[in-house]
Amino acid sequence: MLAKYLYLKDHPALNLNRYLNHFFYTIRRTNEKSRFIKEQYLHKNLLEILKRAKTNDLEEKFKAFFNSYKILDSNKKYEFNKLVRMGIHIERTYEDTSISCLEMQSENIKLLLGNNSLKDLMDHLYAKTLILKEFQLQDHYQLLYNAMSHKICPFCGVEIMHRIYREDYDHIAPKSKYPLIAINLKNLAPACHQCNEKFKREIDIFYNNTGGRRHFVYPYTTEVVIDLDFTGSIIEQTDLTNLKGIWQINIIPKTTQTETWNDVFRIEERYKTDYLEAFFKDWVSQFLQSMKSSNININTEEELITQLNKAADLFYKDKFNNLNLIRAPLFRFLGNGKLKEFYNGILLLLKERYAA
């Protein structure tokens, strides 16, 4: 997204999905007379995990799926196995909008199997099994975190990613809609709590609300450089027709990628409400304080515009810290030379501060 994650090709966290695919492979030629013999169908390492488990819940869920699958006719088994192969290579699907994902959706799989046995199995594997010490998910997160050039959530670009605990692993394609890839690490990426739990939640990244296929930036292969344009914004107390002001945010470039990003994570709304409206006065005050502490005297509009643009330059150099992804283009906007009432107000404040 705004930053790219390192994809770990060899880590214990990947093994559970490998064990699952081993199971799908071994049951391909079953028929309605086949019996579930776990030693025959489950990977030996998974059998060891089952042996240490205090309950047989997971084994029962494998068995329930097995019993649903074995009675399918050959065409339906072929359909399901095709979806398994698609899930193994799911990374091809996020950015290639020519690939249909409809068959992978939970409702289609439920119709194919006649029940929710796959979803029940996948929910258990994700919630109860992937977190086991064998799969070292905390270590997986730590390696991704250490490789990040900026310790900021790559989905929103502003929230800090924490080292002391593992951040949420977001299902890029939600497991409620795409259960086959619920434990596939290609479909799991750390995200800040705000992005994962408050905004994205169960939004389908493959299809918009009208059913149109959309282009999602895959965070293990692609990063997008964006900027913000505040043209059309009215700063508070600078326009008699709109004293409360209004913030107008436009993401640059405007592409299918950034449109999906904005829609899924509600970027423009968040930037406006949670940051601009909340911190604009503080940011201006900090700017004025920095002028005073640096002994920079500003007496004219031209001098003020110059310093606002210098501040923007500094923020751009450190774009992913201190909300500079927003502050840098904001100060570039403030220094555009067209905000006469704003400049007059700032010059008045500066005169008062210099006098104090």
Side-chain angles (χ1 to χ4, degrees):
M1 197 54 249
L2 298 182
K4 190 164 58 175
Y5 276 124
L6 171 68
Y7 183 73
L8 303 174
K9 295 181 180 180
D10 186 20
H11 189 276
L14 302 169
N15 287 338
L16 184 58
N17 195 55
R18 290 169 180 158
Y19 302 158
L20 176 69
N21 290 327
H22 171 85
F23 169 70
F24 289 146
Y25 181 82
T26 58
I27 67 172
R28 287 177 308 152
R29 292 183 173 86
T30 54
N31 57 55
E32 60 184 12
K33 295 181 180 179
S34 300
R35 291 189 305 114
F36 179 72
I37 302 172
K38 61 183 178 182
E39 290 80 8
Q40 182 176 344
Y41 298 114
L42 297 180
H43 192 283
K44 62 180 182 178
N45 293 345
L46 187 54
L47 289 172
E48 286 297 317
I49 292 172
L50 292 176
K51 191 182 298 183
R52 293 193 296 272
K54 295 180 180 179
T55 71
N56 63 351
D57 289 354
L58 181 56
E59 182 179 335
E60 290 301 316
K61 292 188 185 304
F62 270 110
K63 184 177 180 180
F65 172 79
F66 177 89
N67 288 333
S68 299
Y69 177 86
K70 73 177 185 178
I71 61 175
L72 298 179
D73 62 36
S74 58
N75 289 332
K76 288 188 175 180
K77 283 180 179 175
Y78 175 81
E79 281 185 55
F80 182 82
N81 293 327
K82 183 176 68 174
L83 297 180
V84 170
R85 291 192 296 272
M86 186 176 177
I88 291 172
H89 302 291
I90 194 64
E91 72 278 6
R92 302 170 182 171
T93 307
Y94 299 102
E95 296 182 330
D96 187 348
T97 56
S98 69
I99 300 174
S100 172
C101 307
L102 295 175
E103 291 181 343
M104 291 191 72
Q105 292 181 347
S106 56
E107 287 305 308
N108 179 70
I109 294 176
K110 182 180 178 181
L111 287 173
L112 188 65
L113 295 172
N115 55 46
N116 270 323
S117 58
L118 176 77
K119 186 177 184 302
D120 291 343
L121 170 62
M122 300 308 297
D123 285 345
H124 195 287
L125 286 170
Y126 176 73
K128 302 290 181 64
T129 313
L130 186 58
I131 60 173
L132 296 176
K133 63 180 181 180
E134 286 89 348
F135 303 110
Q136 301 179 32
L137 203 56
Q138 177 62 41
D139 177 72
H140 184 270
Y141 171 72
Q142 197 65 58
L143 291 170
L144 294 187
Y145 178 89
N146 291 341
M148 293 174 71
S149 55
H150 307 286
K151 313 306 184 187
I152 300 295
C153 174
F155 295 106
C156 65
V158 290
E159 293 291 334
I160 295 173
M161 299 289 277
H162 295 87
R163 181 178 184 177
I164 198 170
Y165 63 85
R166 177 172 62 83
E167 297 283 359
D168 298 336
Y169 268 54
D170 173 53
H171 284 89
I172 302 170
K175 62 183 175 65
S176 61
K177 290 185 173 66
Y178 300 94
L180 259 177
I181 50 176
I183 59 169
N184 188 338
L185 266 292
K186 294 177 180 179
N187 187 51
L188 287 162
C192 73
H193 183 72
Q194 296 292 324
C195 281
N196 187 44
E197 291 292 332
K198 302 297 182 183
F199 293 99
K200 180 174 177 287
R201 304 182 74 181
E202 298 300 310
I203 293 175
D204 190 338
I205 57 94
F206 292 130
Y207 294 94
N208 59 30
N209 291 335
T210 60
R213 186 73 163 84
R214 57 184 172 187
H215 190 174
F216 187 83
V217 180
Y218 186 49
Y220 286 111
T221 60
T222 308
E223 62 182 57
V224 175
V225 178
I226 66 101
D227 202 357
L228 303 176
D229 176 23
F230 294 94
T231 300
S233 295
I234 299 172
I235 300 172
E236 183 179 349
Q237 301 297 320
T238 63
D239 189 327
L240 292 176
T241 63
N242 196 332
L243 292 176
K244 291 183 178 180
I246 185 169
W247 289 111
Q248 181 68 43
I249 302 177
N250 297 293
I251 296 170
I252 300 173
K254 190 176 181 63
T255 65
T256 55
Q257 292 175 316
T258 58
E259 285 178 352
T260 299
W261 173 55
N262 179 50
D263 185 41
V264 170
F265 295 101
R266 291 164 60 186
I267 296 298
E268 290 177 3
E269 179 186 353
R270 290 168 69 184
Y271 283 7
K272 173 186 172 182
T273 304
D274 290 344
Y275 303 108
L276 278 168
E277 293 179 356
F279 299 124
F280 176 70
K281 290 181 180 179
D282 291 339
W283 290 342
V284 171
S285 180
Q286 290 166 12
F287 166 76
L288 297 180
Q289 183 59 41
S290 70
M291 294 298 99
K292 184 175 181 180
S293 61
S294 302
N295 294 317
I296 297 174
N297 291 321
I298 299 176
N299 298 298
T300 67
E301 183 178 302
E302 290 73 18
E303 291 172 345
L304 174 58
I305 291 170
T306 297
Q307 293 303 323
L308 288 168
N309 280 293
K310 284 184 176 181
D313 291 339
L314 288 174
F315 295 146
Y316 271 115
K317 289 178 181 178
D318 194 19
K319 195 173 181 179
F320 288 101
N321 283 318
N322 302 317
L323 301 175
N324 288 345
L325 188 69
I326 302 171
R327 289 207 294 176
L330 170 65
F331 273 76
R332 185 70 76 220
F333 167 71
L334 296 178
N336 65 15
K338 302 175 183 178
L339 309 174
K340 300 293 184 182
E341 293 300 322
F342 173 72
Y343 302 144
N344 290 338
I346 295 298
L347 290 171
L348 185 61
L349 282 173
L350 283 169
K351 187 177 295 184
E352 292 173 354
R353 291 194 178 203
Y354 293 151

